[in-house]
């Protein structure tokens, strides 16, 4: 499982002109599910993200976590995080999870966030989405459960 975590001042996701998810200060998590991923990877990934201290304290040090700043979370499915560009110029996505299982694990991950945060905003799995954000910093972190 892979995640691109962005610290944002605000973010939203739109599908067919309708905003389906919107947050203020917090994390925009672009989430990719691989074909071998399980609930254990989702648990591990959310455990790491939920404890990341990437918000600045009163001294300008990144010592505060999401809960410390009352942050919000927007999770957007992003199978393109599994793009393989080794051959040619057209990416292959064969390492991405099959849609039904990927959607199940995406929803499972969102439920983990909801369990700990009380609320999570999401995109629409499989839809063509437009994501709008203001990256705060910019601060962007790439996480892959194979490397955690």
């Amino acid at each position: 499982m892979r995640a691109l975590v962005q610290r944002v001042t605000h973010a939203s996701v739109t599908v067919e002109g309708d905003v389906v998810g919107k947050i203020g200060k917090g994390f925009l998590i672009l989430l990719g599910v691989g074909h071998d991923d399980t609930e254990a990877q989702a648990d591990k990934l959310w455990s790491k993200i939920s404890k990341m201290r990437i918000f600045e304290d009163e001294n300008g040090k990144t010592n505060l976590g999401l809960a410390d700043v009352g942050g919000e979370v927007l999770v957007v499915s992003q199978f393109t995080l599994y793009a393989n560009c080794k051959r040619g110029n057209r990416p292959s996505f064969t390492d991405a999870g099959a849609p039904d299982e990927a959607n199940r694990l995406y929803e499972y991950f969102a439920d983990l966030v909801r369990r700990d945060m009380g609320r999570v905003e999401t995109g629409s799995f499989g839809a063509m989405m437009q994501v709008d954000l203001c990256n705060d910093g910019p601060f962007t972190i790439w996480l892959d459960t194979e490397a955690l």
Side-chain angles (χ1 to χ4, degrees), residues 69-138:
V69 299
E72 300 175 302
V73 178
L74 172 60
V75 182
V76 177
S77 62
Q78 189 76 41
F79 77 94
T80 60
L81 292 177
Y82 277 91
N84 182 329
C85 300
K86 289 181 182 176
R87 295 184 195 204
N89 295 316
R90 182 171 175 239
S92 167
F93 300 103
T94 58
D95 291 337
D100 288 345
E101 182 63 5
N103 185 32
R104 186 186 75 76
L105 289 171
Y106 166 74
E107 293 295 338
Y108 178 81
F109 183 88
D111 285 342
L112 293 174
V113 178
R114 195 171 289 112
R115 175 197 70 198
D116 291 348
M117 302 296 298
R119 178 176 155 262
V120 62
E121 294 287 310
T122 62
S124 296
F125 186 90
M128 180 63 78
M129 296 176 275
Q130 291 74 47
V131 179
D132 183 47
L133 67 130
C134 183
N135 192 313
D136 185 22

Side-chain angles (χ1 to χ4, degrees), residues 5-130:
V5 180
Q6 298 182 70
R7 185 180 76 184
V8 298
T9 60
H10 63 273
S12 65
V13 61
T14 303
V15 176
E16 295 182 4
D18 293 323
V19 174
V20 297
K22 183 176 181 178
I23 63 167
K25 181 179 185 173
F27 291 163
L28 167 61
I29 303 171
L30 302 177
L31 183 71
V33 177
H35 58 77
D36 290 330
D37 286 338
T38 64
E39 291 177 1
Q41 276 91 7
D43 292 336
K44 185 177 191 178
L45 187 59
W46 173 243
S47 179
K48 176 61 79 173
I49 293 170
S50 68
K51 296 173 187 154
M52 286 190 337
R53 297 181 304 149
I54 63 171
F55 292 95
E56 294 178 354
D57 64 16
E58 64 280 354
N59 298 316
K61 302 285 185 188
T62 52
N63 283 324
L64 302 178
L66 195 58
D68 299 323
V69 299
E72 300 175 302
V73 178
L74 172 60
V75 182
V76 177
S77 62
Q78 189 76 41
F79 77 94
T80 60
L81 292 177
Y82 277 91
N84 182 329
C85 300
K86 289 181 182 176
R87 295 184 195 204
N89 295 316
R90 182 171 175 239
S92 167
F93 300 103
T94 58
D95 291 337
D100 288 345
E101 182 63 5
N103 185 32
R104 186 186 75 76
L105 289 171
Y106 166 74
E107 293 295 338
Y108 178 81
F109 183 88
D111 285 342
L112 293 174
V113 178
R114 195 171 289 112
R115 175 197 70 198
D116 291 348
M117 302 296 298
R119 178 176 155 262
V120 62
E121 294 287 310
T122 62
S124 296
F125 186 90
M128 180 63 78
M129 296 176 275
Q130 291 74 47

